[in-house]
Amino acid sequence: MDLKINILQKICLLIIFLNNSSFAISNSFDSGVKSINTKYTITKVRTAVDKQGTYVACTSYEGTILAVGYDGEIRWENKLSGFMNHDIWAGDVDMDGVDEIFAANADGSIYCLNSNGKLLWEFKQNEAPMYSVCVIQKDGKSYAVCGGYDNSYYYLSPKGELISEVASKTYSIEKPFSKALHKVHPPKGLHVTNFLRPAKLANGEEILVVHGVQNSMSGPGSVYFFKPLEAKPYQTIKLKKRGPFGDLKVVDVNNDGNSEILLGRVGAKAKGNYFTIIDTKTNKQSLFDLNKIKERKVLNRGMYRVIQPEVVSNKGKKAHIVLQGSNLVISDFGDEEADAEVLPTRFSFNDMFKDPNSNKVILASAQSGGSAIHIIDFDSKKWKKEFRELNPPGKIQDILANTSGIKNNLIKFKKPKYQKKSATVYFMSENRKKPEARKSIERIEANHDNPVFLNGGNFDKEKWDRSAMSSEIYKNKRDRRMKYKLTQEEVLEKIKKRHDQSKGKGISYWAGHGNDPYMYQVETTKKGFDIANGNKTVIIYPEVEDHSDEFKFVMNDLILPLADYAKTRNANMYLRNKHLFWQSSVYMKKWEPLVSGKYANVFVPAMEETTDKSMELSFTSRLGIWAAGAVDSWGARCARDNASFDRLRQHSNQTLPNHFLRTMVYTISSGAQFIDNFPVDQEYMSLLWDLIAEGAIYVPKRSDILSFSPVHLSIANPEHEYLSRASNVKWLTFFDKEKTENDPYVFSRLNGTWPGAPLTEWDFSKYAAGANERRLNFIPKYNNGMVLITPPQKGVFAAKKVYRKLLKENIHPWYKNIMKEYYSDGKNYYSADGKETYAPDEYYKVIEEDIKKSSSLIPVNVSGNVGWVVAQVGAKQLRLTIVENGYINPNKETAKVKINNIEVKKIKDILSGEEFKLNSDSTLDIEIPLGGFRFIDIELNEKL
């Protein structure tokens, strides 16, 4: 009997072992696509193995690592550093049969967690963000391998001890293909490690695959094959097809034991629709081109995407699958590319990973702020239908429900009688082609005079004789995307037709670009102003910035003559510049005419915030230029690639533009009038139009705003290195641990080395704007009031000749006697007389303390993870607009409101009708819905 029991016990233990084994466990579920709400916005997914079997290891936008069972259970979570993880990996580094989890963190660390989520060790060489991590084996031993933005990669022991460093300068073949801005040359023979991945050879040995790149937007980089622990690659492959590449998978397509490398392209529209295949045996490169697919029309949605390829079993046959935006493409091996099947769904996803122990693929959260992961079972007959109909649970549903609630409240809303007339908002690029958008626009135009919808859109460019142009550079510049074929008469005919179609509203169009400011002759553009006959004309100049002396020619020949002509013709020049132009380059001598206010009614400062990581700075810089009176209005833009702070991982295919909606509510409530948005879902965005039309959004004049901090920072004589760092966000190899990157600067970590990186304590973005990292701060906090970045008002830095009033005379009278000015060149701080220089890493404490103390001098302060603005809308009424600030990772938030120096009669949400009572300390908490915003009117006992 005892023997039988012992045998039965052993059988039971064997069954338990097999059920827990990653090889035996089925992890099956009934559905073809299973969605699990994690309550986090998940950006990366992998699979890992522990004693229970296979589970999903993932990281959130905030950097929290989670373990999620296939049964939907959240097994554990670890917040780590609180900064983002650029890469995660699961591998058995200590060879005990259970995977460890590795995170390549933006703080420069590699974190290693055990299967229970406990931190085992961390490794850090310097401050440069870690970007890739994996585990590799050699001779029966495992090692962690990691690398990032310091131009090296490292081998680590199972305990996190440094074994060796492999510096890219010892083997890289990369060469800069052009100069960076401000005459700075990116170093040659360096690269960052875009990807580190293990691959296998037919003899069973593992090799390390390194993908090295210098630029995040151009150039494919090179692939290097290393034997583990060796310092030199045994094979170097210069990629033929133009990059960048944002995904690298290792697969064995033909079961010969040799891995193939799949490199997924990053890009928009057709140019990004492919992946490269490298055979590790022959080194041959081939291409899978999605543009050849018969069903390609559904693929051509004009957004930026990372092509993510994989290999699955499709009804018993091996097949490529490709995640392309909101589409999944499947193609059996041996079939023609043209015959690939396209399965569209509504949402795009942040990542895709195949479980190596099953025929399942895991998708990270929907890019529009989702919180679920999705597991596709390719063995299920239902997966295709369920994928097409996928409607993510969690945050996506909250966003939709909260937006619907705002819409319903707006239907019942009546603009208060005390509310002043808003400034006019001009929507410059709304698309009327879809019936829903057209109906909304026509309804608003029939019943309201604000907002105004201009007849926007580009047309072909003028073919004209530039032979007399004295600048050889600009004589030969052309924008390759454009067709130069129109005569002057044909251009003017198009302008006239567009004005006629606008019915007096006006038009907008591109008149130039940094690639070619001279898309039309100066005289052609002037004649176009005349054709308008007094109606509004806005000419758009994206990325017009050149730091060479040659640009003086453009200023004197094009920009200033057009500005002079536009002053009396209801025309505006919309400068859609990039990076930190509005707090750096604009303060160079050549832009003095703009800063002086001479053309205040012409120039409109706007932004092209793609690739950037410093939106909190560009926002307050445009506000500062406007508040100072250099310009009478300012502009904003939401573009398809705004969600990308890292062009190598450009997951910018958001189909639900809630991030656009909240950004625009915040920006327009802060006074932006000229809006140049990229159309995504205009039926959804039409809520913004109605909020303006009905008066829920009050568009303030600069003299209405009461949320400016009394402290402001003025920029003069921007320092050369600061200008370089502020502009060179595409080149990635500038990190120099022996030299400059850790030098204290007022505005730091701005070039391409620092995606998602923590800010230094002395950085203006940190102490003034409340930012913690270089990433997507489109709705900045500024908890102590908006600290404006302005032209100098007094002292030796102030311009001798200006046409504008002083800052304190332009803004609300409340500020008349409480303003305080500091001075900087972007690197250091200075005294008003210019005689004293103050180091940023010490002097910031003086300014920070002043900002905090001065916050009690303004009527209202708001703290929390929100953006906010206060404007006077009536004699005794203030409008407090509060916007949840999680850009692509929305969350429900609490705004903590503090009332200062005013006596309050009533506080009320103007849409919901909810009334609030102040606490005894003159504070109150206001809940802000996930993906939402609120408009709170504060009625005072007396007039301001």
Side-chain angles (χ1 to χ4, degrees):
M1 178 68 72
D2 291 341
L3 180 62
K4 288 182 179 179
I5 291 174
N6 191 34
I7 291 172
L8 285 171
Q9 286 175 335
K10 289 182 177 180
I11 291 172
C12 289
L13 288 171
L14 178 62
I15 292 171
I16 291 170
F17 171 78
L18 290 173
N19 281 336
N20 286 335
S21 165
S22 63
F23 302 101
I25 192 166
S26 66
N27 286 322
S28 61
F29 41 82
D30 294 333
S31 56
V33 179
K34 181 172 183 175
S35 297
I36 301 170
N37 183 17
T38 70
K39 300 183 180 179
Y40 289 88
T41 298
I42 302 299
T43 55
K44 298 285 182 187
V45 287
R46 304 287 183 263
T47 58
V49 173
D50 64 9
K51 291 181 180 179
Q52 299 179 61
T54 301
Y55 64 95
V56 180
C58 46
T59 181
S60 75
Y61 181 90
E62 302 87 354
T64 298
I65 300 287
L66 295 88
V68 184
Y70 277 0
D71 59 1
E73 178 189 359
I74 310 298
R75 296 183 182 177
W76 51 260
E77 60 182 67
N78 188 323
K79 295 189 180 299
L80 290 184
S81 67
F83 297 99
M84 74 166 294
N85 296 306
H86 282 293
D87 190 23
I88 59 171
W89 194 255
D92 184 8
V93 77
D94 59 6
M95 307 290 284
D96 67 349
V98 174
D99 285 339
E100 285 71 45
I101 310 300
F102 299 86
N105 198 269
D107 72 352
S109 299
I110 294 295
Y111 294 98
C112 176
L113 287 71
N114 69 13
S115 60
N116 294 317
K118 179 183 176 182
L119 181 64
L120 296 176
W121 51 261
E122 61 183 277
F123 168 82
K124 184 174 183 176
Q125 284 290 87
N126 48 61
E127 298 294 318
M130 282 290 183
Y131 204 58
S132 191
V133 64
C134 68
V135 171
I136 196 164
Q137 292 187 2
K138 180 181 181 180
D139 299 331
K141 295 181 180 180
S142 285
Y143 306 90
V145 193
C146 58
Y149 281 85
D150 68 351
N151 306 305
S152 291
Y153 72 87
Y154 304 90
Y155 285 96
L156 309 179
S157 76
K159 294 184 178 180
E161 301 154 331
L162 177 63
I163 294 174
S164 64
E165 174 183 356
V166 182
S168 66
K169 66 183 179 182
T170 64
Y171 68 88
S172 178
I173 63 171
E174 296 304 303
K175 296 179 181 178
F177 48 83
S178 68
K179 294 179 183 178
L181 298 177
H182 287 281
K183 301 179 182 179
V184 175
H185 294 263
K188 67 179 180 178
L190 287 181
H191 65 240
V192 302
T193 46
N194 190 21
F195 288 103
L196 296 163
R197 293 292 183 258
K200 283 191 175 181
L201 302 179
N203 62 9
E205 291 182 5
E206 287 196 346
I207 63 170
L208 181 68
V209 179
V210 179
H211 180 224
V213 296
Q214 284 195 323
N215 189 290
S216 64
M217 284 212 46
S218 300
S222 303
V223 172
Y224 307 85
F225 294 157
F226 285 83
K227 298 291 180 65
L229 299 177
E230 293 188 1
K232 297 287 185 180
Y234 72 85
Q235 186 67 51
T236 297
I237 301 172
K238 183 68 178 175
L239 293 169
K240 297 176 182 177
K241 194 67 176 177
R242 183 180 177 186
F245 292 99
D247 190 66
L248 189 152
K249 297 291 196 321
V250 178
V251 298
D252 183 3
V253 172
N254 51 15
N255 294 321
D256 67 350
N258 287 298
S259 297
E260 283 76 41
I261 313 301
L262 310 182
L263 278 160
R265 174 73 154 86
V266 180
K269 296 186 178 180
K271 70 179 181 181
N273 275 348
Y274 62 81
F275 64 90
T276 293
I277 305 166
I278 302 175
D279 189 318
T280 56
K281 184 178 181 181
T282 65
N283 300 327
K284 180 182 177 182
Q285 299 179 49
S286 56
L287 198 70
F288 189 100
D289 190 350
L290 279 68
N291 294 313
K292 295 180 180 179
I293 296 174
K294 292 173 184 175
E295 299 179 61
R296 64 183 176 275
K297 280 189 177 179
V298 74
L299 301 176
N300 287 338
R301 184 171 178 270
M303 305 294 275
Y304 281 80
R305 296 154 301 208
V306 178
I307 300 298
Q308 294 193 261
E310 251 298 353
V311 174
V312 298
S313 175
N314 181 35
K315 299 178 181 178
K317 293 183 179 180
K318 275 199 172 184
H320 282 302
I321 60 163
V322 185
L323 185 65
Q324 188 259 18
S326 54
N327 306 291
L328 200 60
V329 177
I330 187 162
S331 176
D332 289 341
F333 289 177
D335 286 359
E336 297 291 331
E337 291 164 323
D339 297 325
E341 183 180 6
V342 179
L343 293 98
T345 192
R346 177 176 179 185
F347 295 95
S348 299
F349 303 92
N350 286 321
D351 194 22
M352 178 180 78
F353 188 82
K354 183 183 179 298
D355 180 354
N357 298 318
S358 72
N359 202 27
K360 295 180 176 66
V361 165
I362 296 89
L363 303 178
S365 296
Q367 287 179 23
S368 298
S371 58
I373 62 171
H374 312 276
I375 305 169
I376 304 176
D377 184 355
F378 282 87
D379 290 334
S380 170
K381 295 179 180 179
K382 299 185 289 186
W383 81 263
K384 291 182 180 179
K385 179 178 184 294
E386 292 180 5
F387 178 77
R388 286 189 178 99
E389 297 172 355
L390 182 54
N391 190 16
K395 289 185 180 183
I396 292 290
Q397 302 308 314
D398 290 342
I399 290 169
L400 293 170
N402 292 336
T403 305
S404 179
I406 293 170
K407 284 184 177 180
N408 291 334
N409 286 334
L410 185 61
I411 292 170
K412 299 174 285 186
F413 171 73
K414 298 294 181 185
K415 183 172 71 174
K417 292 181 179 179
Y418 54 75
Q419 184 168 315
K420 299 185 291 186
K421 185 178 180 180
S422 284
T424 302
V425 175
Y426 297 94
F427 284 105
M428 299 159 53
S429 52
E430 303 306 298
N431 192 330
R432 301 185 188 223
K433 290 181 181 179
K434 291 195 174 181
E436 298 85 357
R438 184 172 62 252
K439 287 178 183 177
S440 293
I441 291 172
E442 290 174 351
R443 172 179 51 78
I444 290 171
E445 287 181 331
N447 296 286
H448 303 276
D449 59 4
N450 193 15
V452 172
F453 296 90
L454 300 181
N455 186 14
N458 292 321
F459 46 89
D460 290 330
K461 309 310 169 190
E462 184 179 3
K463 184 178 181 180
W464 60 282
D465 183 6
R466 304 192 191 193
S467 60
M469 191 180 288
S470 61
S471 169
E472 288 296 320
I473 290 176
Y474 284 96
K475 179 192 298 184
N476 297 312
K477 269 183 173 282
R478 299 294 186 276
D479 191 318
R480 291 179 297 177
R481 299 166 296 179
M482 306 297 170
K483 295 179 181 179
Y484 291 80
K485 64 180 186 178
L486 299 180
T487 65
Q488 185 181 81
E489 290 73 21
E490 288 171 330
V491 172
L492 297 176
E493 284 176 15
K494 287 185 176 292
I495 291 174
K496 183 179 185 308
K497 183 178 179 181
R498 286 168 177 258
H499 271 295
D500 291 342
Q501 292 171 337
S502 80
K503 300 178 182 178
K505 303 290 184 183
I507 69 170
S508 65
Y509 65 94
W510 277 25
H513 188 280
N515 295 328
D516 177 21
Y518 287 91
M519 291 177 174
Y520 307 101
Q521 297 179 70
V522 173
E523 289 306 311
T524 303
T525 304
K526 287 180 178 179
K527 289 179 180 180
F529 292 164
D530 293 336
I531 286 174
N533 198 27
N535 294 328
K536 176 68 72 178
T537 301
V538 183
I539 53 174
I540 301 170
Y541 287 92
E543 304 181 43
V544 177
E545 182 180 8
D546 180 355
H547 303 287
S548 71
D549 292 338
E550 199 78 18
F551 192 70
K552 293 177 183 177
F553 168 80
V554 181
M555 287 294 296
N556 295 323
D557 183 69
L558 173 75
I559 292 176
L560 296 182
L562 285 179
D564 277 318
Y565 204 76
K567 283 178 72 172
T568 58
R569 284 167 174 79
N570 195 19
N572 295 97
M573 298 176 70
Y574 186 89
L575 302 182
R576 207 175 79 190
N577 285 356
K578 296 193 72 151
H579 315 316
L580 288 186
F581 176 87
W582 295 109
Q583 71 173 68
S584 58
S585 302
V586 77
Y587 293 111
M588 298 173 75
K589 187 173 181 60
K590 55 192 166 189
W591 286 100
E592 276 184 2
L594 185 156
V595 177
S596 74
K598 182 178 181 180
Y599 301 101
N601 69 328
V602 175
F603 289 119
V604 178
M607 279 300 291
E608 181 119 358
E609 295 194 273
T610 56
T611 314
D612 292 339
K613 301 171 278 291
S614 51
M615 294 79 183
E616 71 285 345
L617 300 178
S618 67
F619 185 88
T620 195
S621 299
R622 282 171 288 155
L623 271 176
I625 289 273
W626 173 60
V631 295
D632 290 339
S633 51
W634 63 287
R637 179 180 188 238
C638 285
R640 58 194 178 183
D641 41 349
N642 273 16
S644 172
F645 60 95
D646 175 6
R647 289 276 187 170
L648 291 171
R649 305 289 184 270
Q650 199 157 9
H651 296 288
S652 302
N653 198 41
Q654 284 76 12
T655 56
L656 175 62
N658 176 259
H659 59 314
F660 282 11
L661 177 62
R662 283 179 288 123
T663 301
M664 285 292 102
V665 168
Y666 175 68
T667 304
I668 295 170
S669 295
S670 299
Q673 292 179 259
F674 288 81
I675 310 300
D676 186 20
N677 283 346
F678 190 92
V680 177
D681 180 345
Q682 290 190 293
E683 184 177 4
Y684 181 85
M685 286 296 290
S686 66
L687 172 59
L688 175 67
W689 311 338
D690 285 324
L691 288 166
I692 297 167
E694 298 298 334
I697 291 180
Y698 177 73
V699 190
K701 302 176 183 66
R702 56 187 163 222
S703 57
D704 292 327
I705 295 180
L706 280 160
S707 47
F708 294 148
S709 168
V711 174
H712 66 105
L713 178 66
S714 290
I715 304 293
N717 306 321
E719 190 258 351
H720 176 77
E721 182 68 19
Y722 161 60
L723 286 168
S724 172
R725 295 182 184 198
S727 303
N728 285 312
V729 300
K730 297 176 184 177
W731 291 100
L732 309 177
T733 54
F734 283 117
F735 182 79
D736 184 347
K737 56 189 173 186
E738 305 297 333
K739 191 178 178 185
T740 61
E741 285 297 352
N742 291 313
D743 288 351
Y745 269 67
V746 174
F747 308 101
S748 61
R749 300 190 171 181
L750 294 167
N751 67 28
T753 301
W754 303 100
L759 290 163
T760 61
E761 293 298 319
W762 58 84
D763 194 293
F764 179 93
S765 294
K766 174 84 169 181
Y767 74 79
N772 291 314
E773 60 187 3
R774 280 279 170 245
R775 183 168 58 145
L776 298 182
N777 297 307
F778 278 96
I779 308 171
K781 292 185 280 193
Y782 284 100
N783 288 337
N784 295 299
M786 178 62 63
V787 183
L788 297 173
I789 296 175
T790 60
Q793 300 296 300
K794 58 186 179 181
V796 297
F797 300 112
K800 299 297 182 284
K801 185 176 182 181
V802 293
Y803 298 82
R804 50 180 165 79
K805 298 176 183 177
L806 290 174
L807 172 66
K808 64 182 180 180
E809 296 172 4
N810 283 314
I811 58 179
H812 197 285
W814 184 281
Y815 292 94
K816 195 83 174 174
N817 299 310
I818 62 172
M819 297 299 289
K820 184 160 185 183
E821 184 175 22
Y822 289 91
Y823 306 89
S824 175
D825 63 357
K827 179 180 182 180
N828 294 307
Y829 295 106
Y830 296 91
S831 59
D833 59 11
K835 294 180 179 180
E836 299 290 333
T837 302
Y838 308 115
D841 53 345
E842 286 298 326
Y843 195 66
Y844 86 94
K845 297 173 185 176
V846 175
I847 305 176
E848 181 181 34
E849 184 64 21
D850 208 350
I851 290 170
K852 289 178 178 178
K853 287 181 178 178
S854 297
S855 66
S856 63
L857 301 178
I858 57 177
V860 179
N861 284 120
V862 182
S863 59
N865 291 320
V866 295
W868 60 284
V869 59
V870 176
Q872 185 171 1
V873 296
K876 297 193 292 184
Q877 290 82 17
L878 305 180
R879 174 72 45 82
L880 168 60
T881 301
I882 311 177
V883 183
E884 188 261 296
N885 83 335
Y887 187 63
I888 55 174
N889 64 318
N891 290 290
K892 182 180 178 181
E893 299 291 353
T894 300
K896 296 186 175 295
V897 180
K898 175 74 167 64
I899 302 297
N900 307 309
N901 308 316
I902 52 175
E903 293 186 11
V904 173
K905 182 177 181 181
K906 185 166 65 174
I907 302 175
K908 180 180 178 180
D909 184 314
I910 63 171
L911 289 185
S912 71
E914 180 182 359
E915 292 195 18
F916 302 91
K917 299 293 184 184
L918 282 173
N919 299 319
S920 58
D921 60 352
S922 297
T923 64
L924 71 153
D925 290 349
I926 299 178
E927 299 299 318
I928 311 300
L930 183 149
F933 41 86
R934 298 185 77 164
F935 307 106
I936 311 295
D937 271 13
I938 302 172
E939 185 177 351
L940 311 180
N941 286 326
E942 298 179 355
K943 293 182 180 181
L944 280 179

